């Protein structure tokens, strides 16, 4: 129990006929980062809102920091920090006043709210703007202030809904470092993101969700392996040679090469010597080459493959998946 | 016990927040300073000559009524503020914090009491300049001011409910007008009730506004009160209690968008 910070079982949430969440299971060990990945409308924000007690689920149960979201919400709230998808800061207060107010509302000991505010403004590069009204802040500055607010009480569990959307590259890196140092100190983080490099770098485990369901779960490497190992990619000088190239490359390809956006893509039988072999084969066949490369799948591939796949199986039936029988 | 202490301190933190915004959003300041002045001047000098108020100069008749109306509208700041907090996601932030569930509302309504105090002062000064004079012992006048603040506080809770029920700040504004204007105009605030058609009269006589305005006339002008003062206090407390309950229940379930 004590070593799991976030645990959800069969979470459901319906908005009329929309199944925002359709039975989600999550398990995040203490001191680790779970990345929730999914296309727009997948249900990420809904999951975050349920786990932070903002929304009652229609089914299922969840515990955060050992407390039940439905029955122990008040205790749960003292253990979490939330930065929602849209910055929630008071426009008519200064940056410092905003953070101090949040510190007071967490009931931090006397003097602490002000000290924490100063510390976090510094950390998020807002010291110069500390005493300016937030309505004069830029979008990215508001975002940073909102993230700082989530950290005010050093909560053991952090929920960050697309935390780096709208941040410049420098602020983004700064936030990553801040999150990493919190996690090193034992904080548990659930973050949603559209940026796969972010999930790749920060998340220990990733849950890919689509249409309110978890469609894949694992570490970044595991997910990449699920999509397939290394691929050989060949770009030809002329597309009219494609058929000939597919036939010619058969000896090195583990499966029949596929044409993806003008690039011939194939899993390979072995890594060593394959590029040289492919070049030799194509030269012998008189097929002109523009580019040859080995590519390991990125999370982008994972995302596209998984969610593209899911979208197809939602209204088709030919997939042999056992999970979707009730529609 | 610490829950109770936290509740108080949360409320004060949020009242301070509502309060700080007043000088920072001066357009709001206008609405509760200039608007009442405008109302007094319009009624005294435009309608005053045409309205017969037996036993009183019109300005004396009008001032208690118009101050009560201003108190009722004081809660607009709460409705707009809450509707905005909902829209901007601040309510989400507050609801995710380990703070008291009623503090956001209690803080805002408390801040209204301060602005209402300022409005009362302005109204009295303007009224006196326009010819209004008190005709009651100081203790009654003081009690009258307290009753005004209590009534204003009750309506802040009405507006809290309106703000939380509206889809946008603009909607909360029109909803508020639709609710308050008939209540104030079909009451003894601006014209004697017996000058109205009988159907309206029946409504005006049971309208809490009439009761509060009559109570104010007795406290400020020594008019025969009956038991309207106690009835006014009871109405105010009742309205505050009912709408505080409804608003807090609504706040707990508040969903953004
Ligand atoms: N208040 C609401 N009323 C009706 N439908 C809603 C509401 N909130 C969310 N939904 C629906 O629930 C689904 C999931 O929404 P959610 O906001 O959780 O998606 P998301 O994964 O966070 O998307 P994004 O990447 O765009 O932020 C969507 O189809 C959305 O339209
Ligand atoms: Mg979202």
């Amino acid at each position: 129990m004590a070593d799991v910070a976030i645990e959800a079982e069969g979470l459901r949430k319906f908005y009329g006929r929309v199944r925002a969440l359709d039975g989600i299971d999550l398990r995040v060990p203490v001191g680790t980062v779970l990345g929730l990945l999914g296309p727009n409308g997948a249900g990420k924000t809904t999951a975050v809102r349920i786990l932070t007690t903002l929304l009652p689920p229609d089914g299922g149960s969840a515990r955060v920091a050992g407390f039940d979201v439905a029955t122990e919400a008040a205790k749960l709230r003292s253990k979490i920090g939330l930065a929602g998808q849209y910055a929630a800061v008071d426009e008519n207060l200064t940056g410092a006043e905003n953070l101090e107010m949040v510190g007071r509302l967490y009931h931090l000991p006397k003097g602490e709210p002000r000290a924490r505010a100063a510390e976090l403004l510094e950390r998020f590069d807002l010291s110069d703007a500390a005493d300016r009204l937030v309505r004069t802040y830029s979008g990215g500055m508001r975002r940073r202030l909102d993230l700082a607010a989530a950290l005010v009480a050093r909560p053991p569990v952090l929920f960050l809904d697309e935390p780096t959307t709208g941040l410049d590259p420098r602020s983004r890196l700064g936030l990553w470092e801040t999150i990493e140092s919190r996690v090193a100190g034992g904080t548990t983080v659930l973050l949603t993101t559209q940026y796969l490099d972010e999930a790749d770098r920060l998340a220990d485990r990733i849950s890919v969700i689509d249409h309110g369901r978890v469609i894949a779960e694992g570490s970044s490497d595991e997910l990449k392996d699920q999509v397939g190992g290394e691929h050989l990619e060949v770009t030809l000088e002329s597309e009219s040679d494609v058929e000939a190239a597919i036939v010619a490359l058969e000896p090195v390809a583990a499966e029949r090469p596929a044409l993806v956006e003008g690039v011939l893509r194939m899993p390979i039988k072995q890594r060593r010597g394959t590029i040289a072999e492919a070049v030799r084969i194509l030269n012998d066949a008189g097929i002109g080459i523009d580019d040859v490369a080995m590519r390991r799948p990125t999370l982008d591939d994972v995302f596209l493959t998984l969610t593209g796949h899911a979208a197809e199986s939602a209204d088709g039936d030919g997939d042999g998946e056992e999970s979707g029988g009730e529609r | 016990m610490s829950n109770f202490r936290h509740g108080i301190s949360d409320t004060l933190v949020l009242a301070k927040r509502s309060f700080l915004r007043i000088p920072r959003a001066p357009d709001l300041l206008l609405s509760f300073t200039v608007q009442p002045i405008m109302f007094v001047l319009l009624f005294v000098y435009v309608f005053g000559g045409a309205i017969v108020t037996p036993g009183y100069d019109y300005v004396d008749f009008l001032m208690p009524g118009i101050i009560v109306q201003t108190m009722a509208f004081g809660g607009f700041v709460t409705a707009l503020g809450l509707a905005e907090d909902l829209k901007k996601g601040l309510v989400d932030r507050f609801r995710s914090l380990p703070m008291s569930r009623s503090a956001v509302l209690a803080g805002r309504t408390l801040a209204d009491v301060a602005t209402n105090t300022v409005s009362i002062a302005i109204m009295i000064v303007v009224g006196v300049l326009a010819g209004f004079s008190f005709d009651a012992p100081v203790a009654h006048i003081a009690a009258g001011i307290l009753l005004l603040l209590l009534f204003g506080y009750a309506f802040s809770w009405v507006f809290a409910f309106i703000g939380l029920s509206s889809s946008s700040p603009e909607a909360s504004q029109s909803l508020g007008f639709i609710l308050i204007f008939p209540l104030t105009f079909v009451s003894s605030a601006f014209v004697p009730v017996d000058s109205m058609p009988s159907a309206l009269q029946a409504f005006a006589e049971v309208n809490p506004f009439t009761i509060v305005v009559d109570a104010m006339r007795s406290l400020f002008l020594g008019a025969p009160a009956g038991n309207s003062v106690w009835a006014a206090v009871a109405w105010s407390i009742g309205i505050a209690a009912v709408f505080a309950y409804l608003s807090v229940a609504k706040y707990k379930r508040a969903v953004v968008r």
Side-chain angles (χ1 to χ4, degrees):
Chain A
M1 247 306 142
D3 49 353
V4 181
I6 304 172
E7 198 166 25
E9 259 169 46
L11 279 189
R12 287 166 195 277
K13 183 76 200 177
F14 306 138
Y15 290 107
R17 239 181 298 144
V18 177
R19 298 170 177 223
L21 288 186
D22 198 6
I24 290 233
D25 300 328
L26 300 172
R27 197 167 175 285
V28 191
V30 168
T32 68
V33 181
L34 174 73
L36 265 193
L37 216 56
N40 291 144
K44 305 181 294 293
T45 298
T46 306
V48 168
R49 287 173 58 82
I50 290 177
L51 292 171
T52 52
T53 78
L54 297 179
L55 201 65
D58 292 330
S61 64
R63 299 178 81 78
V64 175
F67 298 117
D68 190 287
V69 290
T71 58
E72 297 167 300
K75 285 182 195 148
L76 189 161
R77 288 186 202 110
S78 65
K79 301 289 180 202
I80 61 169
L82 165 67
Q85 186 165 1
Y86 305 100
V89 285
D90 191 329
E91 308 251 302
N92 292 308
L93 297 182
T94 65
E97 284 168 350
N98 263 289
L99 295 185
E100 255 186 84
M101 174 177 75
V102 171
R104 297 233 152 84
L105 295 173
Y106 269 111
H107 310 125
L108 298 184
K110 224 179 165 55
E112 187 82 341
R114 179 160 299 178
R116 277 300 278 165
E119 198 179 318
L120 285 164
L121 287 164
E122 175 82 50
R123 164 100 52 99
F124 282 89
D125 244 337
L126 291 168
S127 291
D128 291 341
D131 296 320
R132 259 165 55 195
L133 293 187
V134 170
R135 64 168 183 249
T136 69
Y137 280 25
S138 73
M141 290 165 79
R142 281 168 210 232
R143 189 80 207 142
R144 265 141 57 202
L145 185 65
D146 189 58
L147 289 159
L151 296 171
V152 164
R154 299 190 180 87
V157 184
L158 268 178
F159 292 89
L160 308 174
D161 197 354
E162 301 196 19
T164 56
T165 302
L167 293 191
D168 61 31
R170 199 169 88 96
S171 311
R172 206 165 157 222
L173 206 61
L175 177 69
W176 287 356
E177 283 162 5
T178 302
I179 293 175
E180 280 163 348
S181 83
R182 297 293 309 156
V183 172
T187 301
T188 309
V189 179
L190 185 151
L191 87 116
T192 78
T193 181
Q194 309 274 0
Y195 301 115
L196 301 149
D197 52 338
E198 186 163 293
D200 218 351
R201 163 150 180 187
L202 291 178
D204 299 296
R205 311 283 297 176
I206 295 171
S207 286
V208 184
I209 69 176
D210 194 19
H211 298 301
R213 287 165 176 269
V214 177
I215 55 172
E217 203 273 337
S219 68
S220 164
D221 283 338
E222 285 167 7
L223 288 176
K224 288 172 187 167
D225 287 345
Q226 216 170 312
V227 175
E230 273 178 315
H231 282 70
L232 181 69
E233 291 191 349
V234 181
T235 313
L236 302 176
E237 275 175 357
S238 156
E239 284 218 14
S240 58
D241 290 336
V242 164
E243 283 310 317
I246 288 177
V247 174
L249 285 169
E250 221 157 285
V252 296
E255 267 171 42
R256 190 183 149 81
L259 189 67
V260 184
E261 285 167 14
V263 180
L264 268 182
R265 204 161 177 277
M266 70 215 77
I268 48 177
K269 287 177 178 159
Q270 62 168 50
R271 191 169 203 286
R272 282 192 92 213
T274 298
I275 291 191
E277 178 71 5
V279 171
R280 194 185 57 73
I281 290 174
L282 293 172
N283 271 340
D284 288 354
I287 300 172
I289 311 169
D290 233 5
D291 189 37
V292 181
M294 290 291 250
R295 214 172 131 239
R296 191 166 153 58
T298 62
L299 269 182
D300 281 283
D301 299 322
V302 175
F303 192 71
L304 275 178
T305 311
L306 287 173
T307 59
H309 178 87
E312 273 164 26
S313 70
D315 42 27
D317 53 1
D319 254 312
E321 262 188 81
E322 288 301 281
S323 56
E326 82 242 75
R327 220 164 286 191
Chain B
M1 253 316 81
S2 85
N3 267 353
F4 183 70
R5 235 189 37 239
H6 283 160
I8 303 279
S9 96
D10 294 348
T11 302
L12 292 177
V13 168
L14 287 158
K16 179 180 164 199
R17 155 187 185 242
S18 306
F19 211 67
L20 280 176
R21 74 170 276 169
I22 293 168
R24 294 171 181 179
D27 43 339
L28 208 63
L29 197 69
L30 277 186
S31 78
F32 66 85
T33 53
V34 175
Q35 201 168 300
I37 296 175
M38 201 183 69
F39 262 99
V40 173
L41 299 181
L42 280 178
F43 270 88
V44 172
Y45 297 109
V46 179
F47 301 114
I51 300 173
V52 185
T53 48
Y56 298 103
D57 286 345
Y58 186 66
V59 65
D60 287 335
F61 180 88
L62 171 74
M63 283 316 295
I66 211 161
I67 301 183
V68 170
Q69 171 177 287
T70 307
M71 289 301 99
F73 276 115
F76 250 121
V77 183
T78 284
L80 288 175
L82 283 174
E84 225 171 80
D85 286 352
L86 270 176
K87 195 169 128 186
K88 300 241 164 86
L90 266 167
V91 167
D92 266 6
R93 155 124 284 140
F94 291 136
R95 286 173 69 233
S96 77
L97 294 177
M99 58 184 279
S100 148
R101 311 251 83 189
S102 53
V104 170
L105 307 174
R108 285 218 173 261
T109 50
L110 193 64
D112 285 351
V113 176
T115 53
N116 281 344
T117 310
V118 175
S119 303
I120 294 176
I122 293 173
M123 301 285 290
I124 289 177
V125 169
V126 174
V128 167
L129 290 177
F132 174 78
S133 56
F134 289 105
D135 186 8
V138 173
H140 285 193
I141 295 171
I145 289 172
L146 288 181
L147 175 59
L148 285 171
L149 291 175
L150 177 66
F151 184 71
Y153 186 66
F155 265 78
S156 289
W157 282 105
V158 175
F159 274 105
F161 186 70
I162 292 175
L164 290 172
S165 310
S166 315
S167 57
S168 69
E170 295 76 18
S172 79
Q173 190 144 6
S174 37
L175 210 62
F177 275 114
I178 289 168
L179 182 82
I180 303 289
F181 269 129
L183 278 173
T184 56
F185 278 90
V186 189
S187 79
S188 63
F190 303 108
V191 298
V193 170
D194 48 24
S195 68
M196 297 177 191
S198 60
L200 287 185
Q201 236 177 74
F203 176 76
E205 268 157 18
V206 296
N207 184 347
F209 267 86
T210 301
I211 292 164
V212 175
V213 170
D214 288 353
M216 289 312 303
R217 291 212 175 101
S218 92
L219 291 169
F220 277 6
L221 303 169
N227 42 22
S228 65
V229 173
W230 293 116
V233 171
W235 265 105
S236 304
I237 291 174
I239 291 172
V242 168
F243 281 90
Y245 175 82
L246 291 176
S247 306
V248 173
K250 187 121 200 143
Y251 173 84
K252 286 182 184 164
R253 286 180 288 112
V255 173
V256 180
R257 267 174 269 186

